[in-house]
Amino acid sequence: MPNSPTPTHCPYCALQCGMNLTPAPDGTVEVGERADFPVNRGALCGKGRTAPAVLSSRVRLTSPLVRTGGTLVPATWDEALDRIAGGLARTRSEHGPDACGVFGGGGLTNEKAYTLGKFARIVLGTSQIDYNGRFCMSSAAAGGIKAFGLDRGLPFPLEDIPKSGCVILVGSNPAETMPPALRFFTELKENGGTLIVIDPRRTRTAEQADLHLMPRPGTDLALALGLLHLVVAQGRVDEEYVRERTVGWEDARAAAMAHWPEYVERITGVPVPQLRETVRLFCEPESAMVLTARGPEQQSKGTDTVSAWINLCLATGRAGRPYSGYGCLTGQGNGQGGREHGQKADQLPGYRKLDDPAARAHVAEVWGVDPDTLPGPGRSAYELLDALGTDIRSLLLMGSNPVVSAPRAAHIEERIKSLDFLAVCDVVLSETAALADVVLPVTQWAEETGTTTNLEGRVLLRRKAISPPDGIRSDLEVLHELADRLGVEKGFPTDPEEVFEELRRASAGGPADYSGITYRRLAEENGVFWPCPTEDTASEPGPTGDSAAQPHPTGNTTAQPHPTADTTTQPRPTGDTAAHPGTPRLFLDRFAHPDGRARFVPVSHRAVAEEPDAEYPVLLTTGRVVAQYQSGAQTRRVDELNAAAPGPFVELHPRLAERLGAAEGDPVAVVSRRGRAVAPARITLGIRPDTVFMPFHWYGEGRANTLTNPALDPTSRMPEFKACAVRVEAVERQDAG
């Protein structure tokens, strides 16, 4: 009998596209369409189609490695685990628990992220834990919490986008970063809606736009304020909505009025007529959305920038209405769930704050420990990495490759090399793993079961489709074994469903409440949107078949769809008692602040942390290409993807290329105050003359993050990846001999 397909989800971006996996007779795994999953309806990008290539023993780790005589050599699991436990215990004994650091990843399942945070705080007793998701959407999270009292990337399903009248897409290029999502914007236009793209580059997404604004990198805050100024000046404020559903308008209005159109044009380079046309297109339809991504968020003022775009939505009465509102397009596969359950420096499971006594008491009870033994908040991701080798002497790292992905990467590489001890758990020997004292080979998405939470807040079940090779263990098994060796024999199960059951209890009553979600429900319903506070329905179904709004245990209120909006996107489970349907659409009745009102946040434009000058006259911005993913640790091992995107490049305008005397394909050097990167020139009219672009997927001389500025947002602690001052130089080609 042939193997039956296993329905599961892609290991890469936050769409978490549905797919079917079927083992083939030759030992490979075939990817098939899964049309029943509403996010992608069977469509997959090249990364998803080729994901099984990383399962091959040709590219993956197959044995633990330990450093002996300066070289990583194969070892037994017991030897490798003993070395890690010994290294962590020695550091803790000699320097204290906070000398042990833990660094996680936005690709870890909810179960792994939860267990990693628990391990750091109970077993090691350290406050020094954070994860690479800090580099993803922390600014959007901070802005959402300020305005709405709750952070969920999208407060509505993707399927709402085509039903909106206008979408402003700020600093996002889904045509390359999440191609299956582009159809939602195509359908928007087919339905008569308008797409406005704001990006300093004419990307594949911008080519689809009805209107494309090309601001100078780092000026998105001024642009949003200029649009709000025009909204006020043209009498387009929804005064009734502002009065009934918000607070703080007067201060936000005053701040925006200081940003008149001509002033904003001078800052951003966006002509005043385009500003006016944007306001017209956004305000005339009954519904409209603003969606941001890393462009406006990866800035030293990213939180304020997000707040300015939210203010625009609030002033025009868009947020918390059908087919309207502010949302963030999360990047990493579990970027949403990864920050909800405890691997972030300041958070406990359920998106609880670590410095909240009630939150500490609740989680400590679930964990069976004294709340006073839980450490307080620790350093954010870049600050943690910057402290390696000094305050932090040993590091346990899972699912991240900061040698490529961190800002000021050459400096971070040196900090990692200065550690007393480094242990890495990964699928492949990444550039960071190659520096470790111990490397553990762990299972990957097709070889294990676990949950992720996609960019919509939809909790999903990834199912195990194949068995891992002999000698490969899961991250949960690793943490169980290390906890046991470090004196904690209980509390670290290896079964993911058992971990999820504990996570449900730990999240109960928190902002990200998963307590009503079970593996059975996830399998039957194609995912469940959080918050989902109970397995039992708390009221009779409403007129559209959805439950009425239910008070959240923390005092928040979760709202079900407006009668004119779509109902939940998943079928109801069968049985005598219907389950709480989950919450696909937030804020339709009230926001998550205690008074139910959204907050305007007054903000004003300020410059990027590093403006161009005579020595560094150009701005560098960074991003992704369609065939590679994040640090490229996995995708760079796939032949088909490397053929499509074999290496880094520098995108520059013809006028800048002419000044350099550089032709297409010539090597050029990009130099910042932090280092130098060299890559071939790619000359295009689709970029501003004062800007160059580099993708950040590669190590070596073309590493873009050698150049980037670690200046941090004061609230989110997000580094300023998207704008730093550089100069560009021509490079002599090496002689062929």
Side-chain angles (χ1 to χ4, degrees), residues 154 156 161 167-172 185 289-293 297 325-329:
L154 290 180
F156 39 72
I161 291 173
V167 173
I168 300 179
L169 194 57
V170 190
S172 178
F185 301 99
M289 298 176 178
V290 172
L291 304 177
T292 67
E297 298 163 19
Y326 166 79
C328 165
L329 299 177

Side-chain angles (χ1 to χ4, degrees), residues 137-152 221 245-249 252 300-311 314 319 326 347 351 353 511 556 587 591-604 606 713-717:
M137 56 172 290
S138 56
S139 294
I145 290 171
K146 284 185 176 185
F148 308 131
L150 187 70
D151 157 43
R152 197 180 84 183
L221 173 54
R245 298 203 62 186
T246 73
V247 296
W249 167 233
S300 59
K301 53 182 183 297
T303 303
D304 283 359
T305 303
V306 168
S307 293
W309 288 106
I310 292 175
N311 287 348
L314 293 175
Y326 166 79
Q347 285 176 357
Y351 221 142
K353 299 297 290 182
N556 297 334
F587 313 139
F591 295 97
H593 289 296
D595 61 2
R597 294 172 175 262
R599 269 61 172 155
F600 281 97
V601 178
V603 292
S604 296
R606 61 182 186 275
D713 180 287
T715 302
S716 68
R717 317 308 289 170

Side-chain angles (χ1 to χ4, degrees), residues 421-440:
F421 183 80
L422 171 64
V424 174
C425 300
D426 211 331
V427 171
V428 298
L429 190 68
S430 70
E431 287 78 10
T432 305
L435 303 177
D437 296 284
V438 181
V439 183
L440 299 180

Side-chain angles (χ1 to χ4, degrees), residues 697-715:
H697 309 290
W698 288 274
Y699 184 62
E701 69 172 4
R703 179 173 58 186
N705 278 320
T706 296
L707 309 168
T708 47
N709 189 356
L712 301 181
D713 180 287
T715 302

Side-chain angles (χ1 to χ4, degrees), residues 689-700:
D690 58 3
T691 301
V692 295
F693 166 84
M694 290 187 72
F696 59 76
H697 309 290
W698 288 274
Y699 184 62

Side-chain angles (χ1 to χ4, degrees), residues 224-260:
L225 287 162
L227 296 176
L228 183 53
H229 176 111
L230 287 170
V231 165
V232 175
Q234 295 176 8
R236 296 182 182 271
V237 176
D238 188 332
E239 300 286 357
E240 181 180 1
Y241 174 95
V242 168
R243 182 172 59 255
E244 294 182 355
R245 298 203 62 186
T246 73
V247 296
W249 167 233
E250 290 304 319
D251 288 342
R253 178 184 183 279
M257 296 313 289
H259 298 77
W260 60 94

